[in-house]
Amino acid sequence: MLEIDDLRVSFPLERGMLYAVRGLDLTVRAGERLGVVGESGSGKSVSAAAIARMVPAPGRISSGHIRFDGSDVIGLPERDLRRLRGGQIGMIPQSPQTSMNPVITIEAHFQEALALHLGLSKAQSSDRTIELLRSVGIPDPGSRMRGYQHQLSGGMRQRVMIALAIACEPRLLIADEPTTALDVTIQAQILELFDRLVAESDLASILITHNLGIVAGHCDRVVVMYAGKVMETATVAELFARPSHPYTLGLLRCVPRLTAARTRTFATIPGSPPRVTEDAPGCPFAPRCDRVTAQCRTETPELLRIGARADGSGFASGEHSVACWHPVEFGEVA
Amino acid sequence: MTAITVDTKPITAATPGFWRTAWRRFRRNKLALVSGIVVVLILLTAILAPLIAPQGYQVQDLANSLAGPSRGHLLGTDRLGRDLLSRAIYGARTSMLVAIGAPLLGAVIGIPIGILAGWYGRAVDFVALRLFEIFTMVPQILVALLLIALFGNSVGKLILFLGISSWLGFARLARAQYISLRNRDFVLAAQAVGVPTWRILIIHLLPSAVGPLIIFLVQEIPATIFASAGFSFLGLGVQDPLADWGKMLNDGTQYLSIDLWTVMVPTVCIALATLAFSFCGDGMRDAIDPSSRQSASR
Amino acid sequence: MGGLVDQSVPDVSAEAAVPTRATTPMLEVKDLVVHYETRGPGALFGRSQTVHAVDGIDFALQTNETLALVGESGCGKSTTGRAALMLERPTSGQVRFEGQDLATLPRRQLTAMRRHLQMVFQDPIGSLNARHTVGYAIAEPLLVHNLRPRGQRADRVTELLELVGLPADAADRYPYEFSGGQCQRIGIARALAAEPQFIVLDEPVSALDVSIQAQILQLLTDLQTRLGLSYLFIAHDLAVVGQMSDRVAVMYLGQIVEIAARDSLYTGPMHPYTQALFSAVPEPSVGADRQTVVVSGEVPSPVDPPAGCRFHTRCPMAQEVCAVEPPTLRDVGSDHQVACHFAEDAVQANPFGLHLEG
Amino acid sequence: MVAYLAKRFLTLICVMLVMTMVVFALMHAVPGGPFDQTQQPLPKPAMENIMRKYGLDQPIWRQYLNWLWAVLHGDFGTPFSQPTMTVTGLIAQAWPATLIIGAWTIGISYIGGVVLGCIAALKHNTWVDRILTSTVSTAGIALPNYVVGFVLITVFGVRLGWLPVGGWGQPQDVILPVVAFSLYPLALMARYTRATTLEVTYADYVRMGRARGLSERRLTFRYVLRTALIPLITIMGPNIPNILTGSIFIEATFAVPGLGSYFTTASLHRDYPLILALVLIVAALWGTCYILSDVAYTVLDPRVRLEGLSR
């Protein structure tokens, strides 16, 4: 349904250039729940914005293809692009606090979107709004919708944003760190709601997060990004069971587990994620990697599917691709 | 002892400091740079007036009064036959003295009040706010006018009264700055370390607040030129025979239809000075805080 | 005054770091209350309201021990941390440091006392003054407490930088030249400069990326072992807390609802709210059948906290008595206290389908 | 709401009281009196007579109370400089000229400023924005209005002869003063409008609106401008009295017999009753506009509107 091919996004800086996304390949099939994980500066949010051509200024898509249902998003005229946004692709923001127009009512948000994409009349959209708000768990939707965003709590606002995202029956839902601004119990509520809605309406979804725990529970397939590139992609089960990229492995080890005993030692990855200001060849993770060789520093590893080996060991069932010269073999680490 | 992992991110090669970055931005802004040069030239003229001016500011040539530009008087003469160019050059002296002196005085009065109000809040702030209110109610110009009318005029008094009436802006700005800085984490961190309050106010907060205050000072200069020249123009400011641009305007208005130069020379001087200081101030603001112009282009 | 890395300071080994119950705790907080006034909604017409940020909490902290305060935003954990250092004046209650009540201490003595009590902040960059060099930031505590002769301060700064894993030439640079993780190291070095015994860690890693988080947590653990520090660790991430603390206090709306030794809490949380918190943590592993039930509702406003048990509005176990009678902390095991009328039932019923076997 | 307004006005009255006291005290603290300036000193008995007539022989607090008492009865006294008139009458005579210029100025500068500010913000980072912002608006704010006035007089009055160089009475007398006077508030409004609009242009909710497929036109009017323009009330309101009470410089430049020129002469002649009345007018107007703009802002903007307001 969605196909991204060699996407590159860059931001001009006061001096030089910031390469936010450097050759991203990605596909989402109908009904699939894709997770995109990465640390700050990995390009995950920018990639998501680029899908609906919403890269914030002064950034721009410098090359690549984005196909949504076969049509080229990059070449789409403004009118069709607007039909795509909201109508085909729904977006859920990171900060619900600032994502609603503060001077128009909640109902008005729905009304304008429903009129635009579904051509509903005022009365029809009122009914539909109540129905939508109820489905996302807003108590007393009839009177709530006549209020303004500042009268809602953070969790409630995010529920409204979700209702707004699915209002016009899109086929793809993109959620950019939808729970980062929320408390853990509210996060659980929102994720549960997200899961339910995606399942009910058979939506495809892209969930962008830095939290591996969220990916584990709420996605089918994962893309791990680092410094604007995809490091590894696999089904969730596969990735957690057999991480193949040293970065993925390191990341999984870094995350403290609730159920683990206290050991007083923490697995770490030395260094910190880079800010990419030159698009040099070589693996971006090389400076922090413990398996680094001279090749890693000079040649960029391609994202390749892990194929069957002669001895048949360590291989993925479905699709599992990794961009690494020296991937971690299955069984190599406990 | 477990090895402490060293964060291996290469520490970026010495990036220029805050002021140096600001200077680089300022330099790239052509309008601001040119204005800055004009400002420097005006200030040099004011300082070096006796060396530059072809004549004294009170040398009269009654035979040649209200004469347009000539070889002897490049910009013509006024009603008493005084050389307009010389008077304009000496006028820069008086005008700049007031234009810079008065805001400085305002800053000296206003900034401490603003700092205390912003930092201590509560009762101190309440009193300060009421004080602000009283002073906002009557426009600054009227306050200064009243004071000058009541207490008489001289260059010194002009500075004093314009300075007194301009403290409000500095106090407001300093208060706003300190309020926004007061709750910043680094202040709490300094308190946690045990840094005494005076040290926090001066060593921690002043460097962060000083940029906007300096810019405000520069931007107050054209406003002061406006007021001081204005008062002289009304006949309330600088008195004969001293030269001042506003005074020259006052002298010239009556002869507007006879000799335009008597009005145009001071008009151009005032315009040039106010514009130069203004563009320069704007350039400084943009240099210190690029977001003020490029607003949120994240 | 011996240096931190001086060999004269006894190197407390990891074994000895297990807290030993001293007779007087290093820090004791008794019935701490912090209320503050705020303007209600509406910039002009709002009335002033009282926010019950912290509403009567007690805890004690032993030497070389880590006590964690966990809870969601608005539960009062950060306010508690600040009040413990007198950075926020308590409305009432006591904060005793080595037996001395800080709340009644005269200003001068309090300032002098500050060197023993330090803090590390959530925002590593924001907590450093952008206009001061790193060297100055670290030297300032030495300066204000007059700790070293002028000539030795530079050496001491180098020593501290080394201690937190930064090169000595960092001293001449400005904070913005460093990454978030590096800035947090600088913040830690600064806190250590005055040779404190007790440090409040206010969400020290929540602003950091996962890979950096682990580095900082390791650094903090090592420093504690090496210098015999006591930590009050404030966090919302239960997994991190589990790795860092000896004892854990769970806060909800300004009160402690459960406080216990780390292992006791992590194997058997008894308060329904604690259980809800545990069940809400997304675990980075696949297959585990967790999170079957999600706690409903949201945290009520601290301006007008519910009567009785503050959690009763969201609690699946709530009975009539819960809305009337505020439960007090009671012993339910060795070093395990819970403030719930039906804690035992909650363990039985397991309303959130929690199971915590590693 | 009523209670709020009552409180605000009460504070205003208190502040005004304090202010008049200060002005009163200040005027009397100055050595010399209003009748010292005449060329030939008056004979002593005559002077005493005058002093008694105006109550200047009484202690200062007494004078103040007398004055206050009269003001509360609507009597602002007799101007020293024109004993044949009342202060109220004089003001009634002088204000219309100032009001006419002020009204035109407000109309032109507020509408023009908002429009220019919006254009600059919407064309952010283009040459249009650069010219409007860094050149036109800075010049408008920096250039003294009398300087602009003289340039206008020179060009349109002296050189082209299209418009009168000054005076009052004919309709075309209004044009040049209004143009000269408008420039500053126009530039100020443009600058504020641009700033508030720009702030909103990059707001999350505009981005989210775009993500729902709303047209740029709709986003501009319903999302950006609607939110951005409301706070402008708090700038516009308190500036109204400044404009309506006129500019002493503009009135001097164009020889307009307005309130401003009376203030100048009143100050020069230490015409206490007139000064006090003028100060009081300015302050009362300012205070009222300030309160009203706060209320208008609160009513118009749902973000600061409290549910309790309607109750």
Side-chain angles (χ1 to χ4, degrees), chain A residues 221-236:
Chain A
R221 200 154 59 82
V222 198
V223 169
V224 180
M225 285 187 75
Y226 185 80
K229 287 173 181 288
V230 174
M231 298 283 103
E232 184 166 9
T233 170
T235 60
V236 168

Side-chain angles (χ1 to χ4, degrees), chain A residues 47-119:
Chain A
S47 308
I51 294 171
R53 256 171 61 194
M54 299 242 319
V55 176
R60 49 180 216 98
I61 299 175
S62 43
S63 68
H65 298 281
I66 300 171
R67 291 182 179 283
F68 186 83
D69 265 348
S71 66
D72 180 20
V73 176
I74 299 210
L76 220 54
E78 188 71 26
R79 274 180 69 86
D80 298 325
L81 186 64
R82 279 175 28 216
R83 209 163 293 148
L84 185 76
R85 294 172 179 168
Q88 297 292 313
I89 301 177
M91 291 220 180
I92 300 171
Q94 176 168 5
S95 47
Q97 278 77 1
T98 53
S99 295
M100 256 182 281
N101 187 339
V103 297
I104 66 175
T105 60
I106 291 164
E107 183 180 16
H109 284 89
F110 283 89
Q111 208 175 65
E112 59 187 9
L114 290 168
L116 182 72
H117 294 293
L118 303 181

Side-chain angles (χ1 to χ4, degrees), chain B residues 113 115-132 175 182:
Chain B
I113 296 180
I115 288 178
L116 294 180
W119 177 261
Y120 286 104
R122 296 168 191 273
V124 182
D125 197 29
F126 182 83
V127 172
L129 279 177
R130 296 292 87 76
L131 212 60
F132 291 1
R175 174 179 175 269
R182 185 176 65 188

Side-chain angles (χ1 to χ4, degrees), chain D residues 132-184:
Chain D
L132 280 177
T133 317
S134 56
T135 320
V136 176
S137 98
T138 305
I141 286 171
L143 281 179
N145 51 27
Y146 52 88
V147 164
V148 177
F150 278 116
V151 172
L152 291 175
I153 287 176
T154 312
V155 176
F156 295 98
V158 180
R159 277 290 146 92
L160 298 171
W162 290 353
L163 292 163
V165 293
W168 192 249
Q170 299 162 283
Q172 59 264 45
D173 286 336
V174 178
I175 300 175
L176 289 185
V178 165
V179 173
F181 198 13
S182 296
L183 207 59
Y184 175 77

Side-chain angles (χ1 to χ4, degrees), chain B residues 78-287:
Chain B
D78 70 358
R79 144 184 86 92
L80 297 172
R82 295 176 296 196
D83 182 43
L84 283 178
L85 176 62
S86 303
R87 280 185 73 72
I89 290 172
Y90 275 101
R93 217 171 208 206
T94 334
S95 302
M96 283 303 114
L97 194 65
V98 179
I100 295 174
L104 270 180
L105 181 64
V108 169
I109 302 171
I111 293 174
I113 296 180
I115 288 178
L116 294 180
W119 177 261
Y120 286 104
R122 296 168 191 273
V124 182
D125 197 29
F126 182 83
V127 172
L129 279 177
R130 296 292 87 76
L131 212 60
F132 291 1
E133 221 165 77
I134 294 177
F135 273 82
T136 328
M137 281 182 147
V138 188
Q140 196 185 325
I141 294 273
L142 295 191
V143 174
L145 175 67
L146 199 61
L147 289 171
I148 290 167
L150 291 175
F151 294 92
N153 42 36
S154 70
V155 174
K157 281 182 183 168
L158 210 55
I159 293 177
L160 181 68
F161 298 143
L162 284 172
I164 288 174
S165 61
S166 73
W167 70 278
L168 183 66
F170 289 98
R172 279 231 168 98
L173 183 61
R175 174 179 175 269
Q177 290 271 319
Y178 270 66
I179 285 179
S180 80
L181 290 169
R182 185 176 65 188
N183 295 323
R184 293 273 283 279
D185 268 2
F186 74 82
V187 175
L188 197 66
Q191 285 173 324
V193 163
V195 180
T197 305
W198 68 267
R199 216 186 152 88
I200 291 179
L201 288 181
I202 292 167
I203 294 187
H204 284 259
L205 295 183
L206 208 52
S208 306
V210 81
L213 285 169
I214 290 177
I215 289 160
F216 187 75
L217 183 81
V218 175
Q219 286 172 333
E220 272 292 283
I221 291 174
T224 315
I225 297 175
F226 168 88
S228 75
F231 289 138
S232 299
F233 157 57
L234 292 179
L236 287 165
V238 176
Q239 299 297 314
D240 254 343
L242 221 54
D244 174 270
W245 295 335
K247 177 76 181 96
M248 290 169 73
L249 205 56
N250 176 309
D251 293 341
T253 39
Q254 308 155 50
Y255 310 102
L256 188 65
S257 44
I258 304 170
D259 181 10
L260 259 185
W261 287 86
T262 51
V263 171
M264 286 326 287
V265 169
T267 304
V268 168
C269 286
I270 296 171
L272 197 66
T274 48
L275 287 179
F277 275 104
S278 229
F279 285 129
C280 189
D282 279 9
M284 283 165 71
R285 186 199 57 211
D286 293 344

Side-chain angles (χ1 to χ4, degrees), chain D residues 35-193:
Chain D
F35 302 101
D36 290 356
Q37 287 175 344
T38 23
Q39 300 296 330
Q40 293 120 353
L42 289 164
K44 214 174 175 222
M47 189 72 172
E48 275 170 3
N49 244 333
I50 293 181
M51 294 297 266
R52 198 172 315 120
K53 181 185 169 203
Y54 292 107
L56 295 175
D57 54 342
Q58 290 173 346
I60 179 168
W61 59 270
R62 186 86 227 195
Q63 287 184 43
Y64 178 74
L65 286 184
N66 287 344
W67 172 81
L68 195 64
W69 184 251
V71 165
L72 289 177
H73 292 80
D75 175 14
F76 286 86
T78 314
F80 296 162
S81 46
Q82 299 187 36
T84 49
M85 294 190 73
T86 61
V87 167
T88 326
L90 202 65
I91 289 173
Q93 195 182 50
W95 208 353
T98 303
L99 275 181
I100 289 171
I101 294 178
W104 279 103
T105 301
I106 288 175
I108 290 172
S109 63
Y110 281 15
I111 295 171
V114 168
V115 170
L116 288 182
C118 289
I119 291 174
L122 298 178
K123 302 266 174 201
H124 182 212
N125 271 343
T126 64
W127 62 271
V128 180
D129 176 35
R130 247 164 251 143
I131 285 182
L132 280 177
T133 317
S134 56
T135 320
V136 176
S137 98
T138 305
I141 286 171
L143 281 179
N145 51 27
Y146 52 88
V147 164
V148 177
F150 278 116
V151 172
L152 291 175
I153 287 176
T154 312
V155 176
F156 295 98
V158 180
R159 277 290 146 92
L160 298 171
W162 290 353
L163 292 163
V165 293
W168 192 249
Q170 299 162 283
Q172 59 264 45
D173 286 336
V174 178
I175 300 175
L176 289 185
V178 165
V179 173
F181 198 13
S182 296
L183 207 59
Y184 175 77
L186 181 112
L188 198 70
M189 288 314 300
R191 188 173 269 201
Y192 275 113
T193 308

Side-chain angles (χ1 to χ4, degrees), chain A residues 82-163:
Chain A
R82 279 175 28 216
R83 209 163 293 148
L84 185 76
R85 294 172 179 168
Q88 297 292 313
I89 301 177
M91 291 220 180
I92 300 171
Q94 176 168 5
S95 47
Q97 278 77 1
T98 53
S99 295
M100 256 182 281
N101 187 339
V103 297
I104 66 175
T105 60
I106 291 164
E107 183 180 16
H109 284 89
F110 283 89
Q111 208 175 65
E112 59 187 9
L114 290 168
L116 182 72
H117 294 293
L118 303 181
L120 295 192
S121 72
K122 218 166 173 169
Q124 286 171 316
S125 79
S126 253
D127 295 342
R128 174 94 175 114
T129 305
I130 293 179
E131 191 184 307
L132 280 162
L133 289 179
R134 185 169 294 132
S135 77
V136 296
I138 303 273
D140 193 14
S143 65
R144 278 287 184 187
M145 72 179 186
R146 273 181 270 284
Y148 295 88
Q149 58 116 25
H150 64 272
Q151 293 161 325
L152 299 175
S153 68
M156 284 297 165
R157 278 180 217 180
Q158 195 60 302
R159 286 173 190 268
V160 173
M161 289 315 295
I162 292 176

Side-chain angles (χ1 to χ4, degrees), chain A residues 39-40 153 156 183-185 187 189 213 236 240 256-262 264-267 269-272 288, chain C residues 72-73 209 211-212 214-215 218 221 225 239-240 243-246 262 277 282-284 286 294-298 314:
Chain A
E39 295 180 282
S40 55
S153 68
M156 284 297 165
D183 272 321
V184 64
T185 57
Q187 164 174 291
Q189 293 171 3
V236 168
F240 281 86
R257 312 285 165 126
L258 189 63
T259 47
R262 189 179 175 200
R264 291 187 152 258
T265 50
F266 296 82
I269 304 175
S272 48
R288 303 175 72 189
Chain C
E72 295 177 286
S73 50
D209 275 318
S211 64
I212 310 300
Q215 297 171 9
Q218 185 69 63
T221 308
T225 312
V240 168
Q243 289 302 310
M244 283 300 288
S245 45
D246 301 309
R262 186 263 175 205
L277 268 186
E283 269 286 84
V286 181
V294 171
V295 65
S296 63
E298 299 185 7
R314 301 171 73 190

